[in-house]
Amino acid sequence: MKIKRSLEEAVCILLILAKEEGNNSVKSYRISEQLGVSDSYLKKILRKLVLGGVVTSASSKGGGFRLAKPIEDIFMIDVYYAIEGKNSCIQLRNLAEQVFSSSDESKKVADNMFGLLNESEQLFLNKLAGYPLVKLMQ
């Protein structure tokens, strides 16, 4: 499994927004300056966070970005799904068919491998679902 590097950046964006006093909106250029990333790249991450329901945006003169809910109510799974999507990362190519002449044997290997990887993915997602973002700051 490979996690996009934008996941870390998304978490840091949320922490920046959480630190903003009075839940004020923050302009994207301020966040990009603080993180040292380009504003256009940052806006792509922010868009995913908005679509994921974690951040809200306003395009008025005083607008910007803010948390959609208190930081205590945002979990790592929310950020993960916003950045990575909800599709499973398990994608087998059924290569066991190239190893075994018997379709029963290759199916058994494929089913066992899928079961193991699927169970591991569920454990990972459950861990993220139980981890509030605010805990990163404790």
Side-chain angles (χ1 to χ4, degrees):
M1 172 162 69
K2 184 174 181 179
I3 296 174
K4 295 175 185 164
R5 90 176 170 187
S6 56
L7 181 70
E8 178 186 8
E9 292 153 346
V11 167
C12 289
I13 290 167
L14 295 173
L15 296 176
I16 288 169
L17 295 177
K19 288 176 53 178
E20 190 64 26
E21 292 185 24
N23 197 28
N24 293 322
S25 294
V26 181
K27 301 283 187 190
S28 65
Y29 76 87
R30 280 189 44 219
I31 300 169
S32 67
E33 286 174 358
Q34 187 168 349
L35 293 179
V37 298
S38 76
D39 193 47
S40 61
Y41 173 71
L42 184 94
K43 285 179 181 175
K44 291 177 185 177
I45 298 171
L46 283 164
R47 172 138 174 81
K48 289 181 178 185
L49 292 172
V50 168
L51 292 174
V54 183
V55 169
T56 61
S57 67
S59 57
S60 64
K61 181 179 179 181
F65 298 89
R66 66 174 59 169
L67 296 178
K69 52 190 170 183
I71 192 74
E72 294 83 9
D73 297 334
I74 300 173
F75 289 78
M76 283 297 293
I77 193 74
D78 301 320
V79 186
Y80 178 81
Y81 281 152
I83 300 301
E84 298 285 341
K86 292 188 177 183
N87 294 332
S88 173
C89 68
I90 301 167
Q91 298 177 357
L92 299 180
R93 296 178 23 205
N94 296 317
L95 291 177
E97 293 174 353
Q98 306 301 320
V99 177
F100 299 98
S101 57
S102 164
S103 62
D104 288 341
E105 285 179 304
S106 64
K107 182 174 177 357
K108 187 187 310 179
V109 168
D111 288 349
N112 287 334
M113 187 182 315
F114 180 81
L116 171 66
L117 295 174
N118 186 54
E119 182 181 343
S120 299
E121 182 179 44
Q122 291 310 308
L123 289 170
F124 172 73
L125 295 174
N126 289 340
K127 184 73 172 179
L128 294 181
Y131 199 95
L133 213 57
V134 72
K135 193 172 180 180
L136 293 173
M137 297 184 291
Q138 297 172 346

